[in-house]
Amino acid sequence: AAAVAAARRPPRRHAARGAPPLGFAMGLSQGKLQVAGFEMRSGEMVEVHYNENAGLGFVPWPGTFALAAYLDANAEELRLSELNALELGSGSCSVSGLVAGHLCKHTLLTDRPEVIHPIGEAVGRARLWEKVDVKVLDWTDLEFTMSCFAQQEIDLILMTDVVYFDFLWKPLVHTLLLLCKPTTLVLWANCDGYPKFTPDVNGFLEILEEFFDVMVEQDRRQLGLGSPNELPTGRVLIRRLVLKDHTQAQEEVDRAMTRNCVRRCMP
């Protein structure tokens, strides 16, 4: 019933009031800022600011709303209050990351350096600094990730709409393998299509399923989620990933790091 109620809540989108905080325009095109929101079962309103002409990491995609609703509806079953969560590729409009910030024991939002400042401002507006940290995490730099993140501190990994550029598929899978311990749960929400692009989700799954058991938790329409980028006939699938073999994962990470070192170090 909670999931149905969350799905039926009307999307909240309106023009942002007042001047944007310092630095908020990073990565955004000029124009009026908009606000999209999600109301949690507790009555807490989670809002993100965006410009409709902004780039990939600076607009709210349907997957983040779908995963936010899923986390909110299943918080008790997932025991979120006991879990430390990390989100990969959060982007500056991570509704799911902010909802996790309210529900989880601790949440870490990550992305590339150019997106970190707007993510931090979103966390500040949500008054979540005591429970949410923001850090750089580049999927293509496994050595840096290994030095800055410890898999024993991560219980839950979140991802939304991360299947876009195919050259990032293997780096993303290697990052997951590096961060996952045997008991880590991964929740991944991804659209089957975007206004100007159709992701090859099946191609990504071929790589992913070598290392993870993948189960579909939810399949829902994009329409009505609250994103300004919904497709009328589009779907969002939320999948649960569980590592198949921790030793196999470690061996694959070692091979990937060796290949990266050879490319960097050999003349």
Side-chain angles (χ1 to χ4, degrees), residues 1-75:
V4 173
R8 289 178 177 172
R9 290 192 186 104
R12 305 291 185 89
R13 292 204 295 270
H14 52 84
R17 297 179 179 177
L22 182 64
F24 182 74
M26 178 184 288
L28 303 180
S29 301
Q30 291 184 351
K32 182 181 292 184
L33 288 175
Q34 303 292 317
V35 175
F38 171 77
E39 185 177 359
M40 299 175 62
R41 287 185 295 158
S42 64
E44 185 75 37
M45 192 66 194
V46 175
E47 294 184 336
V48 293
H49 293 199
Y50 69 97
N51 183 296
E52 61 183 10
N53 298 315
L56 282 177
F58 299 90
V59 292
W61 300 100
T64 193
F65 289 91
L67 188 54
Y70 181 85
L71 293 174
D72 189 40
N74 296 279

Side-chain angles (χ1 to χ4, degrees), residues 80 82-88 104-110 135-137 145-159 174-187 212 241 243 246:
L80 293 183
E82 304 173 19
L83 303 183
N84 293 312
L86 179 147
E87 186 173 54
L88 292 172
C104 294
K105 182 179 179 181
H106 181 268
T107 300
L108 182 56
L109 306 185
T110 70
K135 288 187 178 182
V136 171
L137 196 160
T145 301
M146 180 177 285
S147 69
C148 295
F149 300 87
Q151 60 179 219
Q152 65 267 24
E153 298 175 359
I154 304 168
D155 307 306
L156 172 66
I157 294 178
L158 308 174
M159 308 190 299
H174 290 150
T175 298
L176 283 171
L177 296 177
L178 176 62
L179 295 176
C180 283
K181 57 181 182 284
T183 58
T184 301
L185 171 63
V186 182
L187 293 175
F212 290 90
L241 315 180
L243 200 60
H246 191 240

Side-chain angles (χ1 to χ4, degrees), residues 25-246:
M26 178 184 288
L28 303 180
S29 301
Q30 291 184 351
K32 182 181 292 184
L33 288 175
Q34 303 292 317
V35 175
F38 171 77
E39 185 177 359
M40 299 175 62
R41 287 185 295 158
S42 64
E44 185 75 37
M45 192 66 194
V46 175
E47 294 184 336
V48 293
H49 293 199
Y50 69 97
N51 183 296
E52 61 183 10
N53 298 315
L56 282 177
F58 299 90
V59 292
W61 300 100
T64 193
F65 289 91
L67 188 54
Y70 181 85
L71 293 174
D72 189 40
N74 296 279
E76 292 80 15
E77 179 183 347
L78 294 169
R79 304 197 322 273
L80 293 183
S81 63
E82 304 173 19
L83 303 183
N84 293 312
L86 179 147
E87 186 173 54
L88 292 172
S90 295
S92 66
C93 298
S94 178
V95 180
S96 53
L98 295 177
V99 167
H102 284 287
L103 297 173
C104 294
K105 182 179 179 181
H106 181 268
T107 300
L108 182 56
L109 306 185
T110 70
D111 212 315
R112 292 177 56 83
E114 62 268 24
V115 194
I116 288 299
H117 189 75
I119 296 175
E121 290 178 334
V123 171
R125 286 193 301 272
R127 306 179 304 281
L128 284 170
W129 279 123
E130 292 186 2
K131 293 186 65 182
V132 178
D133 287 325
V134 179
K135 288 187 178 182
V136 171
L137 196 160
D138 184 341
W139 306 342
T140 65
D141 192 342
L142 288 176
E143 287 187 7
F144 177 80
T145 301
M146 180 177 285
S147 69
C148 295
F149 300 87
Q151 60 179 219
Q152 65 267 24
E153 298 175 359
I154 304 168
D155 307 306
L156 172 66
I157 294 178
L158 308 174
M159 308 190 299
T160 69
D161 291 314
V162 291
V163 178
Y164 208 90
F165 298 117
D166 57 4
F167 65 86
L168 289 175
W169 293 353
K170 284 189 177 180
L172 173 55
V173 170
H174 290 150
T175 298
L176 283 171
L177 296 177
L178 176 62
L179 295 176
C180 283
K181 57 181 182 284
T183 58
T184 301
L185 171 63
V186 182
L187 293 175
W188 162 42
N190 218 94
C191 294
D192 62 354
Y194 305 100
K196 298 180 180 179
F197 181 76
T198 300
D200 184 5
V201 176
N202 288 333
F204 178 68
L205 281 169
E206 288 181 10
I207 300 173
L208 193 67
E209 288 175 337
E210 181 180 351
F211 305 101
F212 290 90
D213 290 318
V214 182
M215 296 144 282
V216 175
E217 291 290 301
Q218 188 178 84
D219 180 348
R220 62 182 297 173
R221 298 176 65 193
Q222 293 184 27
L223 199 61
L225 281 170
S227 168
N229 298 294
E230 298 167 354
L231 289 181
T233 59
R235 311 290 301 183
V236 180
L237 269 69
I238 298 177
R239 295 174 173 88
R240 174 190 292 252
L241 315 180
V242 178
L243 200 60
K244 288 181 177 180
D245 186 319
H246 191 240

